Amino acid sequence: MRAIIDTNVFVSACIGAGPASSVVEACIEGRVQPVMGAKLFLEYEDVLARGALFANARLSEPERQLLFNVFVSKCEWCPIYFLWRPNLRDEGDNHIVELAIAGNADYVVTSNVRDFRNPNLRFDNVVVVTPERFEQELGK
């Protein structure tokens, strides 16, 4: 099972959200092959540097950095050679779909499923799911 883990899922895992934590745990344990690209990596780094976002997080800054390093070590790196531009409602999410296509991912796991609805360019082989739904898929 190959998946793109959106930054909001990783942030939720750091804060302490149950299903998001299960998703990241499954990646670290090798039950899911996370796919990472340069733009997504930079997005992770940017979001993790926002200290105020983690004011009530269960993990301290060094713990978040350690978790990120372990997570990234489990990722398969994938370059993106073609810009498909599915033209999602949030332009900033287009790179996630492009990475999913380039990395032959089965899933995009995100808390913002609605931002991925009704693209101009559809890719039916990639399923966009919430962490809760992905957790159910893992249980099958």
Side-chain angles (χ1 to χ4, degrees), residues 79-139:
I80 298 173
Y81 294 106
F82 298 100
L83 299 178
W84 293 98
R85 295 290 107 175
N87 291 323
L88 300 171
R89 65 194 282 190
D90 180 353
E91 171 63 29
D93 287 332
N94 280 325
H95 76 96
I96 293 173
V97 174
E98 292 168 344
L99 180 59
I101 299 305
N104 199 29
D106 306 297
Y107 294 93
V108 169
V109 185
T110 181
S111 297
N112 297 327
V113 173
R114 65 185 170 96
D115 289 346
F116 290 85
R117 290 191 185 130
N118 303 317
N120 290 343
L121 186 58
R122 295 185 56 90
F123 298 98
D124 293 331
N125 56 325
V126 178
V127 180
V128 179
V129 295
T130 63
E132 293 81 5
R133 178 72 178 125
F134 193 67
E135 190 176 46
Q136 293 171 355
E137 291 293 318
L138 289 172

Side-chain angles (χ1 to χ4, degrees), residues 49-79:
R50 299 177 191 169
L53 185 61
F54 299 98
N56 297 315
R58 68 176 176 164
L59 299 179
S60 67
E61 193 279 326
E63 291 170 328
R64 290 191 303 273
Q65 192 58 53
L66 177 61
L67 180 62
F68 178 60
N69 291 341
V70 172
F71 175 76
V72 169
S73 75
K74 301 297 183 173
C75 290
E76 179 181 305
W77 284 85
C78 179

Side-chain angles (χ1 to χ4, degrees), residues 10-72:
F10 193 84
V11 166
S12 293
C14 290
I15 291 172
S21 297
S22 296
V23 170
V24 172
E25 180 180 317
C27 293
I28 291 171
E29 290 176 346
R31 294 183 287 137
V32 174
Q33 176 59 66
V35 179
M36 181 67 71
K39 190 166 184 174
L40 184 59
F41 178 82
L42 293 173
E43 185 177 295
Y44 267 87
E45 283 193 323
D46 176 58
V47 171
L48 287 171
R50 299 177 191 169
L53 185 61
F54 299 98
N56 297 315
R58 68 176 176 164
L59 299 179
S60 67
E61 193 279 326
E63 291 170 328
R64 290 191 303 273
Q65 192 58 53
L66 177 61
L67 180 62
F68 178 60
N69 291 341
V70 172
F71 175 76
V72 169

